[in-house]
């Protein structure tokens, strides 16, 4: 099952890898995981070249309880939804600030050049 590592980076680093494994452990109460896919390289090579860690998702499941993988996937989707919502809020704030700034500029121009 997939657990999202980060929405905003082009590749995952070792600390993000470890964070996801800790989060999976917290959700499942398991301590050992099987990591598959391109990010498995981070388990053995923490400083792996960026070209080997292009994905932003980590595929893993509990070694002794693979049936709990659904808990990881569910938690990952919830986290992804929260991050997406937060990102949209930030973008909206930026747009509002940009619109406010444009209005300030228009007002200054009108003051300097009435009519």
């Amino acid at each position: 099952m997939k657990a999202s590592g980060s929405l905003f980076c082009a590749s995952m680093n070792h600390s993000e890898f470890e964070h996801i494994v800790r989060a999976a452990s917290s959700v499942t109460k398991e301590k050992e995981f099987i990591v598959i896919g391109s990010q498995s390289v981070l388990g053995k090579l923490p400083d792996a070249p960026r070209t080997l860690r292009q994905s932003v998702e980590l595929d893993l499941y509990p070694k002794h309880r693979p049936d709990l993988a659904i808990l990881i996937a569910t938690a990952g989707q919830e986290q992804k939804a929260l991050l997406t919502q937060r990102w949209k809020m930030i973008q909206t704030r930026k747009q509002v600030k940009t619109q406010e700034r444009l209005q300030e500029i228009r007002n200054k121009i009108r003051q300097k050049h009435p009519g």
Side-chain angles (χ1 to χ4, degrees), residues 106-115:
R106 286 184 193 119
N107 291 340
K108 286 181 182 181
I109 292 170
R110 286 183 189 128
Q111 287 174 356
K112 288 183 179 181
H113 306 284

Side-chain angles (χ1 to χ4, degrees), residues 36-53:
I36 56 175
S38 62
Q39 299 303 20
S40 62
V41 69
L42 288 171
K44 294 286 184 186
L45 302 171
D47 298 322
R50 189 180 187 105
T51 56
L52 295 179
R53 46 187 181 85

Side-chain angles (χ1 to χ4, degrees), residues 82-98:
L82 288 173
L83 289 172
T84 300
Q85 182 181 13
R86 183 172 180 221
W87 182 82
K88 286 179 180 179
M89 285 174 36
I90 291 168
Q91 294 306 310
T92 300
R93 283 187 204 140
K94 286 180 180 179
Q95 289 173 351
V96 167
K97 286 182 180 182
T98 299

